[in-house]
Amino acid sequence: MAKKDKIIIKRPLLTEKISRLEETENKYAFQVSISANKMQIKDAIEKKFDVNVTNVATINVKGKRKEMTVRSGGRVIRTKGRQADWKKAIITLDKDDKIDFYQGETAV
């Protein structure tokens, strides 16, 4: 599989902190492929949303360790696991550009 064919943008991250950054500093956050670099992320965002990206910051997020207890057939089973590592990209758009994730939908 060539790098061009690989999915770079996995999903947008919609949190309260990112919402504040959208309003004040015109920044948006996305979960991206771990192997993607800043230039690939910039090109993918510009093509998908038709905007001008001025800056890209990336953060490698380590997966958390998890423990879970399950009762099954009268027995208690303890399992341990780990979430996968992932990469976050915070992009800054040109002052005139905006990304609308909701596409004009309003709450009723």
Side-chain angles (χ1 to χ4, degrees):
M1 180 183 277
K3 286 242 182 197
K4 291 184 222 176
D5 300 324
K6 195 170 191 177
I7 296 173
I8 294 174
I9 304 168
K10 292 186 177 180
R11 66 185 180 103
L13 299 175
L14 303 172
T15 63
E16 289 183 31
K17 184 175 182 178
I18 296 300
S19 295
R20 269 187 268 124
L21 288 174
E22 286 175 16
E23 295 168 1
T24 59
E25 301 178 33
N26 209 19
K27 293 184 178 184
Y28 296 84
F30 295 90
Q31 181 178 350
V32 295
S33 172
I34 287 189
S35 61
N37 62 34
K38 291 182 180 185
M39 294 302 296
Q40 292 171 333
I41 294 167
K42 179 180 177 179
D43 291 341
I45 296 287
E46 286 179 344
K47 286 178 188 171
K48 183 164 182 85
F49 297 106
D50 192 32
V51 293
N52 292 325
V53 176
T54 58
N55 190 25
V56 178
T58 58
I59 301 129
N60 288 315
V61 181
K62 298 285 184 190
K64 297 179 182 178
R65 294 176 56 190
K66 295 285 184 176
E67 252 182 57
M68 189 168 80
T69 304
V70 180
R71 291 177 189 242
S72 174
R75 298 182 329 150
V76 176
I77 302 170
R78 293 182 60 91
T79 60
K80 294 181 182 179
R82 190 169 180 284
Q83 289 180 341
D85 297 340
W86 57 284
K87 185 182 256 188
K88 181 194 300 188
I90 298 177
I91 58 144
T92 306
L93 297 182
D94 195 33
K95 63 180 179 179
D96 300 329
D97 290 327
K98 199 168 196 69
I99 296 175
D100 184 17
F101 293 118
Y102 307 108
Q103 299 178 357
E105 295 179 13
T106 57
V108 178

